[in-house]
Every structure is written in C-alpha cells, then in structure tokens.
Amino acid sequence: MALRLNTARLLFCLPLTLFTLPLHAASFFAHVASTPPPGVLPLNHQLQQLAPQATPTALRLAAQALNCAEPNAERLAVIDYSLPSTEPRLWVFDLRQHELLFEELVSHGQGSGDAHAETFSNTRNSHQSSLGLFRTMNSYYGRNGYSLRLNGLEPNVNDLAYERAIVIHGADYVSDEFITQTGRLGRSHGCPAVREDITYPLIDSLKEDQYVFAYYPDAEWLATSAFLGCTSAAAQLAKR
C-alpha cells in the first residue's frame, strides 16, 4: 500500500512539462510543416498546401502576380490552361480562411484549341481565351444565365475582357458526360465556363473585387507581364 502511495506522490510531483512535451513536439512539427522554405512566398506555399495536385508553376506565378497586385486579397481563382480540358484545372482559394473552395473543370475558347488550349489573345471576335491577372466585377444574368464580369488588368494581354464579354458562366458542355461523348469539354467564345451545378456558389465566392489568374507557358507573356515582373506600372494597373 505504501509503495502505491509513494508512486502516486512521485507522479504528482513530476514537472508538468514532462507530460506536455508530446503536445509541444506536435505543435513544433506542425509549425515547421506550415513554414515556407527559404525564398518561397508564403502565399505560394499556402496555395501548394491547399492544392497539391495543381501545377506548381501555375500556383507560383499566381502567387507572384497577386502578391504584386493585392497582397491582402481574400479570394483567388487559378486557371491552368496548360492542362487538357478533360482534367480539373480551376482552383478557387479562400486565402483568409486557408481553404480550397473549388477544384473544377473549366472550358477554353473555340479559337484557342481543341482538347488543349494553345493559342490566346486579347482580340475581339477571336473566340480565344486570355491569360493573365483579372479582377472580378459584379454578377449578373445574361444570355448564359448567372455570370460574372471580369476586368482584365494586363494591357494588350487581357484588358479587353470586359468589351469582349469574357465572363465566368455555367454551361451544359462542361461536364464529365460531355467528355465521355467527345473526348474533351465543349468550348466557349473565350469565356472560362464551368459546370452548371456549381455556377451560383462559385460565382458568389468570387464576385466583386476578387482575383482570377489564367496561366499558360506563353514565353512572351511570361517575359513581359507587369505583374509577374512586378514593375512600377503594376501598381497603377492594379488600381484601375
């Protein structure tokens, strides 16, 4: 009986830190896992944690462009046109809540390619998709139903998006069934169209002064984008 009491007294007298060491260790390793490696933007690290299946280059450049335009942005959508239309290539991030809201199929324009988008422009009636950084505007009801206007921020790259009516909208040709029938998604007139089932929540998550970044490894755009280079002109463009 005395031995049992002494053992209990000994355990009671042990430092509290001895029992909290596992908790501290777990907290330490969680902190290390969430800390970006040297030279990596925190936003880039966050995006890659939330969407590990996405192309790392697309996420890195999206983080770079947004960090230049608006480091305190709440929501960001990334479209990776280097992937075929048969694969999810649209990700919507809640940057404040550290959440991935959507991982979706998205169409490209008829003039940009078949299953793969390869050609992009800022030209009216080209039916081609545009690259670069966009700021979202208001939602509205148009000929494609519930839609979201986009303001292209990059001169000669996407700044005619509003005039071209390049908007996010739902479409029946964006579906797994359409892929099964044709081997690709249907194509738009340049708009990033999404599945009809998620049109409302996706648009509502992005409307009014959020950001969309459309990526493709286009050499000229990569070399000249004001936001990727974060030139002095980028700050003025971001305020338009």
Side-chain angles (χ1 to χ4, degrees):
M1 181 68 176
L3 178 61
R4 190 174 301 169
L5 290 173
N6 288 336
T7 302
R9 187 176 298 113
L10 176 62
L11 289 172
F12 180 79
C13 294
L14 285 174
L16 181 62
T17 54
L18 183 63
F19 296 98
T20 59
L21 278 175
L23 295 176
H24 286 303
S27 175
F28 170 77
F29 286 115
H31 172 73
V32 170
S34 64
T35 301
V40 176
L41 283 173
L43 178 56
N44 179 23
H45 186 65
Q46 179 182 4
L47 299 183
Q48 294 199 18
Q49 281 187 319
L50 293 173
Q53 294 81 20
T55 306
T57 301
L59 297 183
R60 176 175 59 82
L61 294 178
Q64 195 171 317
L66 188 62
N67 193 63
C68 180
E70 178 47 82
N72 297 315
E74 180 180 359
R75 301 274 171 83
L76 170 68
V78 178
I79 300 172
D80 182 2
Y81 284 127
S82 72
L83 298 174
S85 65
T86 53
E87 297 181 17
R89 53 180 183 172
L90 165 65
W91 297 266
V92 179
F93 302 92
D94 186 322
L95 304 177
R96 293 186 182 175
Q97 299 299 320
H98 194 76
E99 292 179 359
L100 176 64
L101 301 180
F102 298 93
E103 181 176 20
E104 288 291 331
L105 299 167
V106 63
S107 72
H108 56 254
Q110 295 171 354
S112 286
D114 195 34
H116 291 79
E118 298 175 338
T119 307
F120 304 87
S121 80
N122 193 37
T123 305
R124 292 181 178 90
N125 301 318
S126 67
H127 293 178
Q128 293 178 345
S129 298
S130 295
L131 301 176
L133 187 66
F134 303 78
R135 185 187 295 114
T136 65
M137 301 175 71
N138 61 298
S139 60
Y140 70 101
Y141 289 91
R143 63 179 182 179
N144 291 306
Y146 195 50
S147 304
L148 176 62
R149 290 189 172 97
L150 300 175
N151 177 27
L153 299 179
E154 304 202 35
N156 303 316
V157 175
N158 63 19
D159 62 341
L160 295 182
Y162 183 84
E163 290 83 352
R164 294 178 62 206
I166 302 301
V167 302
I168 296 177
H169 64 80
D172 59 5
Y173 53 76
V174 180
S175 67
D176 291 327
E177 292 76 17
F178 198 97
I179 292 173
T180 300
Q181 293 171 7
T182 65
R184 59 166 172 79
L185 284 188
R187 298 165 299 165
S188 66
H189 285 181
C191 297
V194 298
R195 290 189 300 119
E196 290 181 316
D197 290 349
I198 52 92
T199 302
Y200 279 84
L202 187 144
I203 286 177
D204 286 345
S205 75
L206 282 173
K207 66 183 180 181
E208 297 171 359
D209 295 325
Q210 308 304 328
Y211 290 85
V212 176
F213 180 80
Y215 166 78
Y216 184 81
D218 179 88
E220 182 177 358
W221 167 64
L222 292 173
T224 60
S225 170
F227 292 101
L228 296 181
C230 207
T231 64
S232 57
Q236 297 303 316
L237 294 171
K239 294 176 182 177
R240 290 194 321 187

